[in-house]
Amino acid sequence: MTSPEQRTLPPMVRIGEIIDKIQGYIQDPDLALIQKAYVFSASAHEGQTRLSGEPYLSHPLSVASILADMRMDEASIAAGLLHDTVEDTKATIPEIKDIFGAEVAHIVDGVTKISKMVFESREEAQAENIRKMIVAMSEDIRVLMVKLADRMHNMRTLEFMKPEKQKVIAQETLDIYAPLANRLGLHLVKVELEDLCFRYLRPDAYKQLMKSVESHATVDQGYIDKVIGLLSEMLQRNKIEGGIVGRRKHYLSIYNKMLQQGLTFDQVYDLIAFRVLVHSLKDCYAVLGLVHATWRPVPGRFKDYISMPKNNMYQSLHTTVVGPDGERIEIQIRTEEMHNLAEFGVAAHWQYKEAKLGMKSKDLEKFSWLRQILDWQKETQDPRDFMSNLRFDLFADEVYVFTPRGDVKELPDGATPVDFAYLIHSQVGDHCSGAKVNGKLVPLSTRLKNGDTVEIITDPSRRPSRDWLKYVKTAKAISRIKHFIRTEERERSIALGKEMLEKEMRKAGLNFQKIMQSGDLDPIAEEHSFKHVEDLLSAVGYSRVTAKKIVHRLKAPEEEARAAEAPPVEEPVKPALSMDKVRIKGVDDVLVRYAQCCDPLPGDPIVGFITRGRGVTVHTADCPNVKNLEPERLIAIAWEGQEDKPYPAKVSIKARNVPGALARIAAILAEQGVNIDSGTFLSNEDRTSDVILTIEVRDSAHLYATIDRISNLDQVLEVSRLSLA
């Protein structure tokens, strides 16, 4: 690197030069504000020098000059003159506000906050979060413009720093500020920052490439002007209206292309790119024909993205030709509408060039909107009218905070330290007992703000609280807290279920401990679609399944067997099913009833069990209890006739826990003519829900047709029929 002694410093920017620039694009500017900011900055920085030996005032003057080149308003330029006074002198924001007004103070405060952040080299996702945090903290677009102008001048004078510091700042600029400038539509700022970063991060490669480019004849501006002139004459001769822009590809772009494609510099032919903008689709192909008729196209280097647009809707004609003096040049041809889409739409130029970025679609739309704002600002006659009250809140739904180690974490707006704790790790969240924000103890319900540094205090004995659900925002925190509460409640419900079942079994003369050890409850749990006996006990504790039903189910086979051996008893039993409803082969005038263990529906394959005194009990053919009954008392029966009434049935539905899922299920049931009698809902940790519904159907065909319809919903993972017991 060049030492300070070897380098001739450029003359310091004068305030008069800045004022001349402002008067060139603002009518009747508030020069008093600019002069007052200049005097205040000069006084505040008096006696301070930069590493180059220049007075420190040269830096705010250069920043203000860059902002004037960007055609910014007086408040922005005044803030540029003052941007370091709060951080590097005794000046304060209240003082700035009293002297220069709230608008200038707001911009200076925003730049100061960003400047206090220290970033090291980051991985891509981390850098993207930092960029979004900077935007979210700014609120006023002018904060970003002043910060970028500040970084631009610092990079221009970076050679006076130590090499290790140069690399840190250059990497930070390449990771954070150059991409941010590109998102904001500041192409020239982005290009200059990238080339300056390249110079300090890869000095040997930069010097070699710079010599190669400068020795190449086509990089001369005269050559660019020559090609633009030839293209302009071509359009005029053929009466085609359009504009032409030519540019030399910048150093980092050339270097990246060499790395990505494994090329040497001599193999990089299209160092200069020209863009032709015309008014119609017809003119695009007309210009292409004229270009190919004038210069020989390079085989394999023509791409028609108009007839076959890219997935991101990008449209343009690309061709490489052997231009004047035998040099290869790239020419892009598109309409103004295509150009606007490429620059400002979802196919924004920065997205096209930075394919690895992987931003969310909502972020693309937000940054595209911001690019349009800057473009409109350039076209506005009086920047004050446009910029004075411009505010934006691109990431109002997101908050970016620091960990104690300096990593940036993204959280939803309104998030609290508890959300942050669960974002770090589930165990940190579960044992969160307190939090420090920016070094101060705060309540766990405190809403975090952009730029906060958050530290979580943990206690192994601490457990999640139900009260946390009142203020947490993230799905992970809500899910973990609910999971803990459910687990805790489940343990209590299992204990209560055991107590209730043991009490009911004592009444029935059953030994609870013996039955628990024998596994007799396993098939009953399975019949209720529970995987474990503990789930059945929990359901008893929650009163979802009654202890009486379980005891009845345990005694049913024994009672059936005793009834078969008992003498006939004349009892006035009302049949649960009319005689014309079930046909029993070879037997007439027999009372029938439904088995409660399997709830047969008209249409189900069924089998009958002959009891004494109570007629025939109807089971489904696949009922698990049938195998425990005496085979000689089983008879073949079949449905006959159809009663015009609904029958109860129970279904279990596992669905994704997303908005609208339950509404879609209910809509299907209504379409099928199915009435919902009752239901229960349970959310799971994996963002699914278990829905148990008791419904009314005509027969089994009606039930299974409904189940099929529900199964076809995208939100539904599984549907099954359950027993009513």
Side-chain angles (χ1 to χ4, degrees):
M1 290 298 163
T2 306
S3 67
E5 295 78 11
Q6 294 173 313
R7 183 177 183 265
T8 302
L9 295 171
M12 190 166 76
V13 175
R14 304 290 180 183
I15 189 64
E17 298 171 19
I18 297 172
I19 289 174
D20 289 342
K21 290 181 181 180
I22 296 171
Q23 290 176 321
Y25 63 88
I26 297 180
Q27 291 184 350
D28 191 24
D30 186 358
L31 298 181
L33 178 67
I34 305 300
Q35 288 282 7
K36 188 163 54 173
Y38 166 67
V39 172
F40 187 95
S41 181
S43 175
H45 292 295
E46 185 178 4
Q48 296 179 348
T49 58
R50 307 194 81 211
L51 292 178
S52 62
E54 299 172 286
Y56 194 89
L57 184 63
S58 64
H59 173 62
L61 281 169
S62 296
V63 171
S65 180
I66 293 171
L67 291 166
D69 291 334
M70 295 178 181
R71 300 174 64 87
M72 299 299 292
D73 64 345
E74 300 101 308
S76 304
I77 295 170
L81 290 166
L82 301 167
H83 76 278
D84 275 339
T85 55
V86 175
E87 187 174 6
D88 296 337
T89 76
K90 295 180 180 179
T92 64
I93 291 298
E95 184 180 5
I96 299 290
K97 184 177 181 180
D98 289 341
I99 299 173
F100 301 98
E103 193 173 14
V104 174
H106 178 78
I107 299 172
V108 173
D109 188 36
V111 176
T112 302
K113 287 178 180 177
I114 295 174
S115 298
K116 287 181 179 179
M117 299 179 190
V118 179
F119 308 122
E120 297 178 357
S121 177
R122 308 281 179 175
E123 68 273 14
E124 203 159 333
Q126 174 77 349
E128 177 58 26
N129 274 348
I130 293 172
R131 287 192 287 269
K132 294 195 324 189
M133 180 174 69
I134 291 173
V135 173
M137 289 181 64
S138 300
E139 288 186 4
D140 189 324
I141 196 173
R142 293 171 292 186
V143 173
L144 298 180
M145 306 300 282
V146 174
K147 183 57 191 175
L148 287 171
D150 171 51
R151 180 52 58 111
M152 172 80 83
H153 186 249
N154 283 334
M155 286 300 300
R156 288 175 178 174
T157 56
L158 193 61
E159 62 187 277
F160 297 102
M161 287 192 168
K162 294 180 180 180
E164 57 271 19
K165 188 66 173 176
Q166 290 173 347
K167 289 185 180 297
V168 170
I169 294 176
Q171 188 66 56
E172 175 185 300
T173 302
L174 188 63
D175 288 342
I176 310 301
Y177 293 104
L180 184 58
N182 202 29
R183 312 288 163 75
L184 301 181
L186 303 175
H187 179 74
L188 295 179
V189 174
K190 175 250 188 187
V191 166
E192 182 174 352
L193 288 177
E194 285 187 343
D195 280 349
L196 287 168
C197 293
F198 180 32
R199 172 184 174 185
Y200 291 103
L201 292 173
R202 298 296 303 272
D204 294 338
Y206 176 83
K207 289 178 182 177
Q208 183 178 354
L209 183 59
M210 185 175 64
K211 289 180 181 178
S212 300
V213 170
E214 290 178 350
S215 66
H216 201 279
T218 63
V219 302
D220 186 55
Q221 184 61 41
Y223 184 85
I224 294 175
D225 294 340
K226 178 180 179 179
V227 175
I228 290 177
L230 291 172
L231 287 170
S232 298
E233 291 175 10
M234 181 189 303
L235 296 183
Q236 291 172 5
R237 283 197 311 270
N238 292 274
K239 298 180 180 180
I240 298 174
E241 294 184 6
I244 303 161
V245 179
R247 61 177 175 83
R248 186 196 70 196
K249 294 185 176 179
H250 62 291
Y251 295 132
L252 186 59
S253 175
I254 298 170
Y255 181 71
N256 285 337
K257 184 171 185 177
M258 292 168 60
L259 287 181
Q260 292 166 5
Q261 300 183 18
L263 305 175
T264 64
F265 179 78
D266 293 336
Q267 294 173 312
V268 181
Y269 296 110
D270 48 351
L271 294 176
I272 302 178
F274 296 87
R275 184 174 297 144
V276 182
L277 302 180
V278 294
H279 296 322
S280 68
L281 181 65
K282 178 184 69 175
D283 289 342
C284 289
Y285 289 97
V287 171
L288 177 67
L290 292 171
V291 168
H292 284 179
T294 305
W295 296 306
R296 179 170 58 85
V298 176
R301 297 287 294 170
F302 167 67
K303 294 178 181 177
D304 185 351
Y305 293 120
I306 292 180
S307 60
M308 297 183 64
K310 292 189 174 185
N311 291 335
N312 58 16
M313 297 186 295
Y314 175 87
Q315 287 184 294
S316 186
L317 297 175
H318 290 195
T319 186
T320 300
V321 297
V322 180
D325 306 328
E327 298 296 340
R328 294 190 180 192
I329 55 175
E330 179 186 350
I331 299 176
Q332 300 174 1
I333 308 164
R334 64 181 73 151
T335 65
E336 293 175 353
E337 182 180 356
M338 295 173 191
H339 179 68
N340 288 335
L341 178 62
E343 287 294 306
F344 306 121
V346 293
H349 187 69
W350 52 265
Q351 183 200 19
Y352 168 55
K353 287 293 185 183
E354 299 172 29
K356 294 183 179 180
L357 193 59
M359 288 184 67
K360 303 173 184 176
S361 59
K362 64 175 182 178
D363 296 338
L364 301 184
E365 295 171 5
K366 290 170 180 175
F367 278 115
S368 297
W369 174 79
L370 194 55
R371 290 171 66 95
Q372 291 184 57
I373 285 181
L374 288 159
D375 191 58
W376 296 332
Q377 180 264 332
K378 294 174 187 175
E379 297 174 359
T380 304
Q381 294 298 319
D382 189 346
R384 292 174 298 182
D385 294 340
F386 186 81
M387 301 292 292
S388 60
N389 294 313
L390 179 63
R391 295 287 185 272
F392 61 89
D393 203 358
L394 295 185
F395 301 103
D397 53 348
E398 296 163 5
V399 174
Y400 297 89
V401 297
F402 288 107
T403 68
R405 294 175 53 188
D407 294 329
V408 176
K409 298 295 182 182
E410 176 183 342
L411 290 164
D413 182 42
T416 65
V418 177
D419 294 293
F420 178 85
Y422 277 109
L423 183 64
I424 298 302
H425 196 279
S426 297
Q427 291 298 318
V428 176
D430 286 345
H431 301 299
C432 173
S433 62
K436 289 183 179 180
V437 174
N438 301 324
K440 297 180 180 179
L441 281 170
V442 298
L444 290 178
S445 59
T446 301
R447 292 180 58 153
L448 299 177
K449 301 187 298 296
N450 282 303
D452 283 345
T453 298
V454 187
E455 179 183 355
I456 300 299
I457 302 169
T458 59
D459 180 349
S461 63
R462 184 63 186 264
R463 294 292 183 269
S465 167
R466 184 183 292 273
D467 290 339
W468 291 358
L469 292 173
K470 297 176 183 177
Y471 48 78
V472 292
K473 296 293 182 181
T474 58
K476 182 176 182 181
I478 293 171
S479 175
R480 286 290 305 182
I481 296 167
K482 285 185 175 180
H483 172 72
F484 175 82
I485 293 171
R486 284 198 304 268
T487 301
E488 191 175 46
E489 290 180 346
R490 173 181 165 83
E491 291 173 358
R492 289 200 296 264
S493 66
I494 290 174
L496 180 59
K498 285 182 178 179
E499 182 180 339
M500 294 169 66
L501 191 56
E502 185 175 10
K503 183 178 180 181
E504 194 66 30
M505 285 186 179
R506 280 201 304 269
K507 292 180 182 179
L510 298 175
N511 187 309
F512 175 76
Q513 294 297 334
K514 183 178 179 181
I515 289 175
M516 285 290 294
Q517 294 173 1
S518 67
D520 288 347
L521 289 178
D522 291 340
I524 301 177
E526 186 178 348
E527 289 168 18
H528 286 80
S529 297
F530 294 126
K531 293 182 179 179
H532 307 287
V533 171
E534 287 78 6
D535 298 330
L536 178 65
L537 295 172
S538 176
V540 173
Y542 278 121
S543 297
R544 293 172 183 162
V545 178
T546 67
K548 285 184 178 180
K549 285 188 177 181
I550 295 177
V551 170
H552 175 76
R553 167 66 179 81
L554 287 168
K555 294 178 71 71
E558 179 184 342
E559 290 177 352
E560 294 272 12
R562 281 203 304 268
E565 299 298 331
V569 178
E570 295 295 330
E571 297 182 15
V573 180
K574 183 179 179 180
L577 198 62
S578 62
M579 287 304 299
D580 63 345
K581 185 61 182 169
V582 176
R583 183 178 73 250
I584 303 177
K585 296 180 180 178
V587 181
D588 295 325
D589 300 326
V590 177
L591 298 176
V592 293
R593 66 186 180 90
Y594 288 118
Q596 293 184 357
C597 55
C598 54
D599 306 306
L601 287 173
D604 283 335
I606 52 177
V607 66
F609 179 78
I610 301 174
T611 66
R612 294 187 178 182
R614 291 184 296 169
V616 174
T617 302
V618 180
H619 292 263
T620 58
D622 58 355
C623 176
N625 288 334
V626 171
K627 63 183 179 182
N628 297 322
L629 301 176
E630 298 176 58
E632 61 272 16
R633 296 191 178 275
L634 295 176
I635 59 172
I637 59 175
W639 298 101
E640 185 177 62
Q642 180 72 32
E643 289 190 353
D644 186 17
K645 70 173 186 178
Y647 291 85
K650 185 181 287 190
V651 292
S652 170
I653 304 171
K654 181 177 284 293
R656 294 186 177 90
N657 193 349
V658 296
L662 188 58
R664 291 292 300 121
I665 293 170
I668 292 295
L669 293 174
E671 291 171 10
Q672 293 293 109
V674 174
N675 180 54
I676 302 175
D677 182 63
S678 62
T680 60
F681 311 90
L682 180 65
S683 295
N684 302 315
E685 186 179 359
D686 60 356
R687 296 192 63 78
T688 63
S689 292
D690 291 325
V691 182
I692 309 296
L693 297 177
T694 301
I695 58 177
E696 295 179 337
V697 295
R698 295 186 302 273
D699 50 35
S700 62
H702 188 199
L703 172 64
Y704 288 109
T706 302
I707 288 175
D708 287 342
R709 286 289 307 279
I710 295 173
S711 299
N712 290 331
L713 291 176
D714 293 337
Q715 301 93 329
V716 172
L717 304 174
E718 181 182 341
V719 187
S720 60
R721 177 182 174 184
L722 299 179
S723 168
L724 284 168

